[in-house]
Amino acid sequence: LMVQLTNREELKKYVKNKNILEIGAGGGYLYHYLKKSCKSYEAVELSNKQRNYLKKKFKIKTYPTTESVKKKI
């Protein structure tokens, strides 16, 4: 399910108890907001620096490319 919403409360309804894969997680802003609503959260982040930050600060499972995610499924 791909959803683009600007209303945060509405977005929480869509992710409740769902496994989330964010493409382009950056600094983890979306994760920080949704972490209590979703079942699990993983991210694709091209930047090695940002991937390391997400792993260290939030303990998020990250991938360098969408191809690496496909290999795990």
Side-chain angles (χ1 to χ4, degrees), residues 3 8 20 24-25 32-33 45-46 54 56 64 68 73:
V3 179
R8 294 178 191 169
I20 303 302
H32 183 72
Y33 184 75
E45 177 53 57
L46 296 176
L54 293 167
K56 187 175 182 178
S68 56
I73 296 175

Side-chain angles (χ1 to χ4, degrees), residues 30-44:
L30 189 60
Y31 167 76
H32 183 72
Y33 184 75
L34 298 177
K35 64 185 174 185
K36 292 181 182 177
S37 298
C38 60
K39 181 178 179 181
S40 70
Y41 192 97
E42 297 181 356
V44 173

Side-chain angles (χ1 to χ4, degrees), residues 2-72:
M2 287 184 61
V3 179
Q4 181 178 356
L5 299 169
T6 54
N7 182 311
R8 294 178 191 169
E9 292 306 315
E10 190 175 340
L11 182 56
K12 279 185 174 182
K13 293 175 192 175
Y14 280 96
V15 302
K16 187 160 181 76
N17 298 318
K18 298 240 178 10
N19 299 317
I20 303 302
L21 175 65
E22 181 179 6
I23 310 297
Y29 174 78
L30 189 60
Y31 167 76
H32 183 72
Y33 184 75
L34 298 177
K35 64 185 174 185
K36 292 181 182 177
S37 298
C38 60
K39 181 178 179 181
S40 70
Y41 192 97
E42 297 181 356
V44 173
E45 177 53 57
L46 296 176
S47 165
N48 190 46
K49 181 179 177 181
Q50 287 305 108
R51 267 195 324 278
N52 289 333
Y53 172 79
L54 293 167
K55 289 178 199 176
K56 187 175 182 178
K57 178 149 179 121
F58 300 116
K59 312 272 190 280
I60 296 173
K61 173 71 176 166
T62 62
Y63 303 93
T65 65
T66 54
E67 290 300 317
S68 56
V69 175
K70 289 180 185 179
K71 292 176 185 177
K72 302 288 181 182

